[in-house]
Amino acid sequence: MPTPTKGPRLGGSPAHERLLLANLATALFQHGRIKTTEAKAKRLRPYAEKLISKAKVGDLHNRREIMKTIRDKDVVHKLIAEIGPFFSDRSGGYTRITKTLARKGDNAPMAIIELVQQKLVSTEAEAARKTKFAKDEKPAAAEVVDQDAEAPESATIDAADEPAEGAVEVDGEPSAEDVKAEEAAEKDKS
Amino acid sequence: MAVPKRKMSRSNTRARRSQWKTSAVHLVACSNKACRQPKPQHVACPACGQYAGRQVAQPA
């Protein structure tokens, strides 16, 4: 049996709360960052992150599940086409809440809730190195299945690598000569 | 219905009200070295809009 939410509802009634959260989530996905009261932001965070998790799967069933709460089709499309794939490397924690100064009129504590714009540090490092960590690398299915075919391939790869390395070493010497030749050419010009 | 038996004296009223006090807001300097304005703790800086080295809001 699902445990009921303790404490008062946002807006007064369960129906009002559902609408408030749906509207807040729509605004968040539309604008990427919204300013609201701290209580609403804290309630919105798990609600919006569950929607993003559905958007990451992005099949028809999940699209219909999202359509139950977000009634704006443009926002649903943006959520599935842009926001979901952007968070593909992130496993949760898609939103960030930052407190701001209290509201002028009623001194309500306010907060800014936003979709996290940065990529993960590990993702950026991978992009910089253009390699993956060993644990993240997917084992190629073909290599594992036919091991007989694997052995000659690896042998050929090794064989191909060795001459390539030798070629690099060979290239190194003429390049130095080229530099000398260029310098000489420049001297001639001057 | 219960009702007060006596009028509350001016002295008693004032003694009670003497406990209505306000406390100063606890402010810290903004962690942004270029800003250093006083701000409430755990709150995005209202002067420069940064929080934990991140630009969160537009400065007011």
Side-chain angles (χ1 to χ4, degrees):
Chain A
M1 185 184 146
T3 345
T5 314
K6 290 278 165 65
R9 301 297 106 104
L10 296 175
S13 68
H16 193 179
E17 174 173 287
R18 275 198 297 276
L19 285 167
L20 261 176
L21 286 173
N23 290 340
L24 280 171
T26 308
L28 175 64
F29 296 137
Q30 208 163 21
H31 301 287
R33 149 184 313 201
I34 56 173
K35 185 175 181 182
T36 179
T37 63
E38 206 184 306
K40 281 182 195 145
K42 281 184 174 175
R43 294 290 292 279
L44 176 61
R45 186 216 284 262
Y47 192 86
E49 295 199 355
K50 276 164 196 162
L51 288 174
I52 293 175
S53 294
K54 290 195 179 93
K56 278 171 81 173
V57 182
D59 56 1
L60 183 61
H61 170 65
N62 282 287
R63 184 182 288 268
R64 284 175 177 159
E65 289 288 315
I66 293 169
M67 290 291 288
K68 280 184 186 173
T69 53
I70 296 180
R71 303 177 298 280
D72 188 338
K73 279 188 183 171
D74 292 343
V75 175
V76 173
H77 177 262
K78 188 186 173 194
L79 181 61
I80 291 180
E82 293 171 29
I83 299 172
F86 179 81
F87 288 125
S88 57
D89 59 335
R90 202 177 272 277
S91 56
Y94 310 120
T95 59
R96 176 187 292 140
I97 295 176
T98 316
K99 290 170 200 165
T100 55
L101 286 189
R103 188 156 58 192
K104 256 293 173 34
D106 58 356
N107 205 26
M110 301 296 279
I112 292 173
I113 180 165
E114 59 185 333
L115 300 174
V116 175
Q117 299 293 327
Q118 291 86 359
K119 282 289 188 182
L120 286 179
V121 174
S122 60
T123 311
E124 282 183 353
E126 271 171 16
R129 284 185 291 115
K130 297 195 173 77
T131 56
K132 281 189 167 188
F133 289 118
K135 65 178 174 62
D136 295 336
E137 231 164 337
K138 286 171 192 165
E143 288 180 7
V144 177
V145 172
D146 33 335
Q147 289 179 336
D148 297 336
E150 168 65 22
E153 271 180 21
S154 64
T156 53
I157 289 165
D158 289 349
D161 283 352
E162 283 167 7
E165 284 169 9
V168 169
E169 285 169 8
V170 170
D171 285 343
E173 290 161 15
S175 68
E177 287 171 13
D178 288 343
V179 170
K180 283 174 191 170
E182 283 171 14
E183 284 173 2
E186 282 172 13
K187 280 175 189 172
D188 290 342
K189 281 176 192 171
S190 61
Chain B
M1 196 180 89
V3 288
K5 191 166 188 175
R6 291 184 189 285
K7 175 190 167 95
M8 196 172 197
S9 72
R10 198 166 9 168
S11 160
N12 270 343
T13 303
R14 286 176 180 172
R16 174 167 42 82
R17 287 188 187 159
S18 74
Q19 300 304 314
W20 295 2
K21 287 168 185 166
T22 59
S23 55
V25 182
H26 181 233
L27 297 177
V28 294
C30 177
S31 62
N32 178 12
K33 289 212 173 75
C35 174
R36 287 283 170 210
Q37 292 292 310
K39 69 173 189 70
Q41 223 159 11
H42 311 302
V43 158
C45 178
C48 65
Q50 283 194 10
Y51 186 73
R54 225 178 279 115
Q55 193 69 36
V56 176
Q58 290 303 312

